[in-house]
Structures are given as structure tokens and as C-alpha cells.
Amino acid sequence: MIPAAFDYTRADSAEEAIALLGEHGDEAKLLAGGHSLLPLMKLRLAIPAVLIDIGRVPDLSYIEERGDGIAIGALARHHDLETSALLKEQVPLLAYTAHQVGDPQVRHRGTLGGTLAHGDPASDLPAAILALGGTLVAQGPDGRREIAARDFFQGFLETALGADEMLVEIRVPKVAGAGWSFQKFNRRAQDWAIVGVAAVVNGTTGVALINMGSTPLRATAVEEAVRSGASAADAATAADYGTDPPSDINASSEYRRHLATVLVRRALEEAIS
Ligand code: FAD
């Protein structure tokens, strides 16, 4: 499939990308790794008139300690996350989840900022960021603002980012020593999740679901059950509360609901053990 014609421009800084977004308005799209946007363009589900390539903006690929947390530049690629010694030590859920995304080619191109800004409910890393209680930093013409991950995903492929904003940084707490688990159920190793679960148990329990609604979701009923002392099996019975899983070629909605309870139980058992 061939995308519709578009103009291409490259930004050398976040400020330049934001100015170009302001100049071109709704006609423009940022291009990071291109591994979600380009497939949409080839299917003509996205027809931007202008692509603003941010893939070579320097200084946005860092993964660094910042007090009690880790700050990650939006252009850090999935491969950077999966191989980061700092993440493996301080936020192992994130390094492990990055390793579960697609295949090596996808992981060498796709960026953390891109997967979050895309907001696909079937994506892996948004669930990990939700479970960790992360914070996203958006930059626009008036400066930077912080958005809690739980407030970021607003609808199918819709986020809290304004049309003239760029996601520049993602912050997660250090959770070295906390229990965690990532469960991804798919048909082949490199496939997207039919359903997935990310869980952290460290006093402030975070559990998030993949492909169980129109956005990446927190399983708040499960979190409350764990906080009130329920066993993993009992808490998992609440896995599908508040969800609206799709039916598609891979699974019916009912099957996804059942799968969520199985995967949440497995995730909690692994995280708590
Ligand atoms: P892009 O495609 O460049 O951009 C995606 C969207 O985000 C666009 O709308 C773009 O304008 C916007 N955007 C990008 N960066 C920013 C920013 N910094 N600020 C604001 N907006 C921005 N993902 C999974 O989670 N699990 C999988 O198993 C998986 N398998 C895959 C298999 C294949 C074959 C492919 C092609 C992709 C797969 N992916 C999977 C998706 C992959 O992780 C993508 O790379 C990722 O979802 C998007 O990141 P990107 O950097 O490529 O974003």
C-alpha cells in the first residue's frame, strides 16, 4: 500500500518541532520511529499533509536517574529500554516489557514517546507506565507541563496532548526490590498482545491492562482488592470490571474477559511471590 503524498521536514530540536506544529496545525504529524504512523498512512487511515521528523532530535534519548525516579527522553527506543542497566536495576518491569514489543527491528526503531503518544490500547509499554504511576512531560509553545499517566489516555488513539505539543520526557519511580510481572498472551512470540497485564506491587500497587478497552487501562478494582488484603485469585476476579474489550479475529470480548482474570492472577502471584 502506498501512502497519500505528503511534505517532509526535519526538526533539529523540540522547539523547532513545536514551532512547525504551530505553523501547520492539524495538517501535520510528528514522525518518531514511524512504526505506528507509517502503517496507518499506508492504509490511508492517517493522511497528514506534512510529516515533521523528530527522529534525529539530539538529547532526547537519555535514560537517567533523577532523585527518587528515572527520567527517560521521549526518543529513547524500545531497544534502549530493554538494554538499559539502570532500568534493569531500578525499574525492571520497564526493561522487560520493552523486550516483549514486536521483533528486534521494531524495537530498534520504535520510541517510548511514540508508543505513548499513539495511545494504542494494544501496546505494551503504556500499560507498564500506567502500572508504575508514571508522569509524562509535554512541551508546547508556552513551555512544559506534567500529565499523570492515568490522565493521559483519553479515547481510542486519543491522548491529553494538545495539537501543538510534543511529548518530551517520561518519568517513573525507582521500584528496585518491588514485586512486578508482565504477562502477554499472544499467538506468536512477536505478535501484539491479545490481552496483557503489567503489575507492580510495592505498597502502592499498580495493575494495568492491555487490549481490554479503547485505551490502555488501569485495573483499579484489582488494585483496591490487593490493597485491602485480597488473595491474588480473589483480586483477579475483578480484572474485567470497568473494561470494554473488543471482539476481533483473534478473540471474542468474552474470551478477553476470561483471559484478563487468568493473566491478572498469574501477574499478581508472580509479583507477590
Ligand atoms: P511513530 O509511528 O513515529 O508515531 C506514532 C504517533 O505518535 C504519531 O501520531 C506521531 O505523530 C506521534 N508521536 C510520536 N512521537 C511523539 C512525541 N514525542 N510527541 C508527540 N507525538 C508523538 N507495539 C507494541 O506495544 N507491541 C508489539 O508487539 C508491537 N509490535 C509491532 C509489530 C510491528 C510489525 C510494527 C510495525 C509495530 C509494532 N508495535 C508494537 C508498535 C511499535 O512499538 C511502535 O514503534 C510504537 O507504537 C510507536 O512508536 P514510534 O516511535 O514508531 O511512533
Side-chain angles (χ1 to χ4, degrees):
M1 301 275 265
I2 300 173
F6 57 87
D7 287 334
Y8 171 90
T9 180
R10 215 175 90 191
D12 291 321
S13 66
E15 290 72 22
E16 189 184 354
I18 291 156
L20 286 164
L21 280 176
E23 190 181 315
H24 295 287
D26 288 348
E27 300 279 272
K29 277 272 182 200
L30 297 177
L31 176 73
H35 269 47
S36 290
L37 182 55
L38 295 183
L40 281 186
M41 288 171 62
K42 287 182 176 181
L43 292 168
R44 308 244 173 161
L45 295 173
I47 310 182
V50 183
L51 283 191
I52 303 165
D53 188 351
I54 55 171
R56 278 174 270 188
V57 170
D59 306 329
L60 277 184
S61 302
Y62 55 85
I63 301 174
E64 62 188 33
E65 283 187 284
R66 197 91 57 78
D68 290 342
I70 304 288
I72 305 170
L75 290 173
R77 301 193 188 267
H78 309 329
H79 175 74
D80 299 328
L81 306 188
E82 70 179 330
T83 55
S84 162
L86 182 59
L87 285 185
K88 283 181 187 171
E89 185 188 321
Q90 297 295 344
V91 199
L93 169 66
L94 205 47
Y96 180 84
T97 304
H99 183 64
Q100 308 309 311
V101 175
D103 53 36
Q105 186 182 1
V106 173
R107 297 198 290 273
H108 276 84
R109 292 302 307 163
T111 64
L112 180 59
T115 196
L116 291 165
H118 189 53
D120 188 334
S123 292
D124 299 315
L125 285 161
I129 299 293
L130 272 178
L132 287 160
T135 302
L136 282 59
V137 182
Q139 185 170 334
D142 299 326
R144 291 186 171 201
R145 67 184 178 112
E146 295 180 9
I147 309 166
R150 65 176 176 276
D151 299 327
F152 188 72
F153 304 105
Q154 300 198 334
F156 184 66
L157 305 188
E158 277 181 27
T159 71
L161 281 177
D164 56 358
E165 284 184 314
M166 174 174 159
L167 186 56
V168 288
E169 187 173 275
I170 297 91
R171 298 179 190 149
V172 289
K174 290 180 186 167
V175 289
W180 61 274
S181 178
F182 183 78
Q183 302 285 328
K184 178 172 178 175
F185 187 88
N186 51 10
R187 280 152 49 103
R188 298 171 304 172
Q190 75 276 21
D191 280 350
W192 295 78
I194 294 175
V195 172
V197 177
V200 190
V201 180
N202 64 343
T204 54
T205 302
V207 180
L209 301 171
I210 300 167
N211 227 345
M212 284 295 288
S214 59
T215 66
L217 287 175
R218 274 181 61 201
T220 49
V222 174
E223 293 172 358
E224 277 164 31
V226 172
R227 271 196 295 274
S228 62
S231 67
D234 285 347
T237 60
D240 68 336
Y241 288 8
T243 67
D244 185 17
S247 286
D248 57 28
I249 191 171
N250 288 312
S252 67
S253 175
E254 292 69 30
Y255 182 74
R256 281 196 164 88
R257 286 182 188 279
H258 172 72
L259 203 47
T261 61
V262 173
L263 296 181
V264 166
R265 178 177 50 73
R266 285 183 194 164
L268 292 176
E269 283 171 351
E270 185 174 63
I272 292 166
S273 66

